[in-house]
Amino acid sequence: MRLSRLYVISILTLLSPVVSAVPPKRVPPKPTPINRAKAAAGLVGAALEHLHLRARRLDAGLSDTAFDRFILILDPEKLFFHRSDIMKLRLAHGTNNGQKILSERFDLSRDALRIMKQRAHQVLHLVETMGISPWSRRGHGTIETNTNCRLPVTSETQLRHRWYNTLRLRWFRRIMVAGSTPGQDDKTAQARVIEDTVHALRTRLDLSIAEVAIWQINALTASFDPHTALLPPAELERFQAMAEPHSDGIGIVLGHGSPYPLISHVIPGSPSWIQGDIRVGDSLVAIAEQGKEYQNLAAFSLYTAMRRLKGAIGTTIRLLIQTGDGEQRRIVLTRGLIDSSTGRAQGAILHPTGQEKSGFGIITLPRFYRQIDDGPTRSASLDVRRLLGTLNSAPISGLILDLRGNAGGILEEAVAVAGLFLDGGPIVQLERFHDTPRVLVDPSNVEDFMGPIVVLIDRESASASEIVAAALQDYKRAVVVGTTSYGKGTAQMLLSLDPLLDERREGLRPIGALKITRSQFYRVSGQSTQLVGVTPDILLPAPFVPLQFGEQTAPAALESSTTTPLHWTPRTPPVSSHELARLSRQRVARNMTFRPIVLETSVRTQLRAESTESLDYDTWFRRQTSTRLALSQARGPRPRPLLVSVHPVVSPGDDETPEPQSTFRAREVWRDRLSKDPWILESTNILRNLTTPTNNP
């Protein structure tokens, strides 16, 4: 992102009191990774104290929180540091590491890395010794798999037991997947576990002070809120590539998890989305290129993990995925070209089975986008307006605006989309630290669709999509249906750090950018969507939501708050939301297509509560088998029945542009999923209640 000269000057003026506190050096620093990290550290620290939505001094309390996060980043599974190691580090650096970052000192990183490498050398010898003798499937005791419930070890004996138990569990999983029997296959599986672990340990021993320093900086940024982070040049490049019209790969975005990266987004139309078995909130445990062994990702940085997912189009990659309840499954994908058109608004006319005369429209909007390139401008609001024109001419009796999985995008586009269904008025309020609230209003004052509307949201609906759902709900213009949304009610600014370097440090460029939280969203009612999200008028049974997914589960998430309500005029709907909810509950109770969702969620919720696993293979295997059987029975028979017929529509001009085969395939998958989606069927029933009010569900 480029910054105007005037804006750079204003930022420098704002940060100068703190940046100037760093004593200048006469000799320009060498362009080494650690010097780049130092230069970024001072600017990041100053920005946190002066530009963040919740700007505050980097005091002892904040430093202590950052210390805990830093230790967790270094040792997420609590497999290295002794409790005494952590106590020594805390005593020396626990309350002052924030100010040291501001003054560009990484004493904590150096001491922690030194201890970590000492422990890693000890563990490496330990693991190699464990691989000498064959392991027995018979065992006793259990292992705690929820790392948040573990405590740091206090002795060498505890460390040895924890590693042995960890390796045994990895061994069990490898045996089960391979389907091996006692004997030589067990030895092969054991050798592979040892080999993978040794490789991960050697990777940890190769960590540089610059890498760990970046982690320390981001431990500090994460103590302000989960969306503020320093993006070093390589990670900044990946971040910006997500906005490109075309990309290649498998189409998943990773976020920080413990101990494995979390899948934070599945790009619509991508190979992962088409495959259908990868869910947001799953953990990516390991990856393998075709013909090679899996590499465990616990020891890799987030950027390294993302880089390993990339590859030539047409090549195969294998993923080891772990769900929120501990179930692991292997998925094979072929890398492909991801066309941005698959992430645009799509429309269709729906006819519920047995009700062919009832026509309802649907617009699916995966994100709020705006693309300006050599061709005509494409944006979410323009595409939705064009689709509404086509659907209005059909005509249709009501509209479903499907915002499920929509993680946000350009704020102005969200405001414009909400305005398509209103005849004027405020949409959302933005507040910054020590700044006058900004009100964004309907830019058109023209209502492009006059009929009843259902807005579908789920746990993945976040940020800008929550603004649209909240506005239409507050105006009583739409009935919001689904599950409570993600709860991301903040906006971030991407602040390039390169223009902020003084002349002496120009040779260090590039040093990256700071993604920093600057604003908070408020509904017209004055309630923030931060943390609490949007609560639907009508709740529907939803697929299992992993424990680590949602703003409420994110460490240091900002609290929700309220501000002064705006003046707006709600409409009077033909049927109250309470009555619609009553009728919906009756239908859902009778609708057998919801039953697999309810049963699977129940099974997975129960499994999630059981975080210990047996160290005896037969006992462990029986539990895994019974779990898979329970999930299979809960999911019910496949294929699922056809619930609605789906007739896609196109905007004027779109039918003239030939689309790639991959895009055609993605649209066919979208159409097929809609036709078998019980949420879509229930939404048409809610629209029917709105168009023909009756007490009969």
Side-chain angles (χ1 to χ4, degrees):
M1 174 182 293
R2 291 187 175 180
L3 300 174
S4 69
R5 179 176 176 80
L6 181 61
Y7 188 74
V8 170
I9 292 174
S10 66
I11 292 291
L12 280 170
T13 302
L14 189 59
L15 301 186
S16 61
V18 179
V19 175
S20 62
V22 181
K25 299 178 181 179
R26 295 180 180 177
V27 180
K30 295 180 180 179
T32 61
I34 188 59
N35 282 336
R36 290 190 173 99
K38 287 180 178 180
L43 294 171
V44 169
L48 292 174
E49 287 196 332
H50 293 270
L51 297 179
H52 193 273
L53 175 66
R54 296 290 183 262
R56 55 178 289 195
R57 280 187 54 78
L58 307 182
D59 56 18
L62 191 64
S63 293
D64 195 54
T65 301
F67 175 86
D68 289 335
R69 299 197 190 291
F70 177 62
I71 294 299
L72 186 61
I73 291 172
L74 274 177
D75 190 12
E77 294 184 275
K78 301 181 177 67
L79 289 172
F80 294 97
F81 287 130
H82 288 218
R83 186 172 64 182
S84 59
D85 298 333
I86 298 173
M87 291 175 64
K88 289 177 182 177
L89 289 170
R90 186 186 298 278
L91 184 62
H93 310 289
T95 59
N96 61 12
N97 64 84
Q99 285 298 315
K100 285 187 177 180
I101 282 181
L102 192 58
S103 58
E104 304 180 4
R105 292 173 57 189
F106 293 113
D107 300 350
L108 171 58
S109 292
R110 292 185 187 280
D111 288 351
L113 181 59
R114 174 177 51 80
I115 296 174
M116 169 61 71
K117 289 192 174 184
Q118 289 174 353
R119 296 300 183 189
H121 275 294
Q122 294 174 4
V123 171
L124 180 60
H125 175 71
L126 189 66
V127 169
E128 290 175 337
T129 302
M130 288 179 182
I132 297 175
S133 302
W135 297 342
S136 170
R137 293 193 179 195
R138 298 183 61 182
H140 59 85
T142 60
I143 180 174
E144 175 61 66
T145 59
N146 184 348
T147 56
N148 293 326
C149 296
R150 292 179 182 175
L151 295 174
V153 298
T154 59
S155 66
E156 298 293 339
T157 301
Q158 281 190 2
L159 183 67
R160 183 168 59 254
H161 285 163
R162 182 165 292 179
W163 267 101
Y164 180 66
N165 294 343
T166 299
L167 295 180
R168 279 186 66 81
L169 188 58
R170 294 176 184 175
W171 181 54
F172 289 174
R173 287 170 174 164
R174 185 176 286 272
I175 291 174
M176 185 176 187
V177 171
S180 61
T181 55
Q184 187 61 38
D185 291 338
D186 282 12
K187 293 181 180 179
T188 302
Q190 177 182 334
R192 292 298 188 188
V193 168
I194 296 296
E195 181 182 334
D196 289 349
T197 305
V198 167
H199 176 78
L201 288 169
R202 295 194 185 281
T203 300
R204 185 171 291 270
L205 287 170
D206 289 337
L207 281 174
S208 69
I209 181 60
E211 291 177 283
V212 178
I214 296 297
W215 293 352
Q216 185 185 344
I217 294 172
N218 277 332
L220 181 64
T221 63
S223 300
F224 276 76
D225 81 286
H227 307 291
T228 295
L230 169 64
L231 304 178
E235 199 160 337
L236 176 62
E237 182 181 348
R238 177 184 66 82
F239 181 82
Q240 292 173 326
M242 292 169 57
E244 294 296 322
H246 302 278
S247 60
D248 56 72
I250 60 172
I252 63 174
V253 179
L254 298 180
H256 291 284
S258 179
Y260 305 108
L262 284 180
I263 295 171
S264 59
H265 184 56
V266 179
I267 300 174
S270 67
S272 297
W273 183 85
I274 291 174
Q275 196 274 342
D277 286 337
I278 299 177
R279 301 179 181 180
V280 168
D282 287 347
S283 295
L284 182 58
V285 176
I287 58 178
E289 296 293 336
Q290 187 173 13
K292 296 184 178 180
E293 288 295 319
Y294 279 95
Q295 288 189 321
N296 190 284
L297 296 181
F300 293 111
S301 68
L302 192 62
Y303 169 72
T304 301
M306 286 293 295
R307 187 179 61 193
R308 289 175 182 266
L309 292 176
K310 303 289 285 184
I313 293 176
T315 57
T316 299
I317 186 171
R318 292 175 292 152
L319 310 180
L320 178 59
I321 300 293
Q322 182 169 296
T323 63
D325 52 48
E327 180 193 11
Q328 290 193 346
R329 56 179 182 268
R330 280 166 164 75
I331 294 173
V332 180
L333 295 171
T334 301
R335 297 181 177 98
L337 178 67
I338 305 168
D339 189 348
S340 64
S341 63
T342 60
R344 294 179 187 152
Q346 298 185 75
I349 297 175
L350 309 175
H351 294 283
T353 301
Q355 304 174 37
E356 280 70 19
K357 293 183 179 180
S358 300
F360 301 98
I362 184 170
I363 294 178
T364 298
L365 190 57
R367 59 192 176 94
F368 294 94
Y369 52 89
R370 183 185 295 160
Q371 296 171 0
I372 303 175
D373 47 31
D374 296 335
T377 299
R378 298 299 300 257
S379 71
S381 57
L382 288 175
D383 287 347
V384 171
R385 172 171 279 160
R386 294 186 187 111
L387 287 170
L388 286 174
T390 303
L391 292 171
N392 278 327
S393 64
I396 56 174
S397 302
L399 177 73
I400 301 169
L401 180 61
D402 190 354
L403 299 180
R404 291 177 296 175
N406 185 321
I410 298 175
L411 173 62
E412 290 75 14
E413 283 300 314
V415 171
V417 167
L420 296 176
F421 307 104
L422 300 171
D423 55 5
I427 303 294
V428 65
Q429 304 182 69
L430 273 79
E431 285 195 2
R432 290 183 177 179
F433 181 64
H434 288 334
D435 201 356
T436 304
R438 177 187 171 202
V439 178
L440 301 183
V441 300
D442 178 0
S444 66
N445 294 322
V446 176
E447 201 166 347
D448 287 71
F449 180 73
M450 307 293 290
I453 304 171
V454 163
V455 176
L456 281 180
I457 61 173
D458 62 8
R459 195 61 168 169
E460 296 177 52
S461 304
S463 195
S465 61
E466 293 175 292
I467 290 174
V468 174
L472 298 182
Q473 186 180 55
D474 286 341
Y475 277 92
K476 296 189 183 300
R477 180 62 185 90
V479 179
V480 179
V481 177
T483 62
T484 301
S485 59
Y486 189 94
K488 182 181 180 293
T490 58
Q492 287 68 44
M493 174 183 76
L494 191 62
L495 176 63
S496 176
L497 300 179
D498 290 347
L500 306 180
L501 291 172
D502 56 34
E503 293 181 1
R504 185 179 60 83
R505 290 183 162 184
E506 287 181 350
L508 296 179
R509 295 172 180 166
I511 62 172
L514 176 65
K515 182 164 65 77
I516 184 170
T517 297
R518 290 281 285 151
S519 307
Q520 186 163 349
F521 303 135
Y522 293 89
R523 303 166 70 137
V524 293
S525 64
Q527 174 64 54
S528 172
T529 56
Q530 172 61 20
L531 208 66
V532 296
V534 177
T535 301
D537 300 302
I538 299 175
L539 287 166
L540 293 181
F544 174 76
V545 177
L547 183 64
Q548 299 183 73
F549 192 73
E551 189 79 359
Q552 290 183 337
T553 68
L558 298 181
E559 293 294 327
S560 186
S561 59
T562 59
T563 191
T564 304
L566 301 173
H567 176 72
W568 85 102
T569 305
R571 303 189 182 186
T572 303
V575 184
S576 72
S577 59
H578 295 292
E579 177 63 12
L580 290 172
R582 183 187 69 82
L583 296 173
S584 178
R585 286 193 297 271
Q586 292 180 12
R587 283 191 299 268
V588 169
R590 298 194 304 265
N591 188 343
M592 295 303 293
T593 57
F594 278 107
R595 183 174 173 81
I597 298 175
V598 175
L599 290 177
E600 182 176 356
T601 299
S602 176
V603 171
R604 290 195 180 279
T605 302
Q606 182 180 353
L607 291 172
R608 185 170 65 185
E610 302 170 358
S611 60
T612 59
E613 297 196 40
S614 175
L615 293 171
D616 176 78
Y617 181 80
D618 290 340
T619 304
W620 178 87
F621 181 80
R622 284 194 296 270
R623 181 185 173 189
Q624 297 298 311
T625 303
S626 64
T627 295
R628 293 189 178 190
L629 178 61
L631 288 172
S632 176
Q633 292 175 341
R635 290 167 183 151
R638 293 187 178 185
R640 293 176 295 171
L642 184 71
L643 303 177
V644 296
S645 59
V646 181
H647 307 280
V649 299
V650 294
S651 303
D654 278 0
D655 53 350
E656 301 173 4
T657 305
E659 59 185 21
Q661 180 64 30
S662 59
T663 303
F664 175 79
R665 171 60 177 156
R667 296 195 191 282
E668 287 298 301
V669 171
W670 170 73
R671 177 181 180 180
D672 180 68
R673 289 178 184 171
L674 284 185
S675 69
K676 300 171 183 178
D677 188 343
W679 278 35
I680 297 298
L681 177 61
E682 179 54 25
S683 296
T684 64
N685 288 326
I686 294 169
L687 289 172
R688 183 164 53 87
N689 289 151
L690 286 167
T691 53
T692 56
T694 175
N695 291 326
N696 183 4

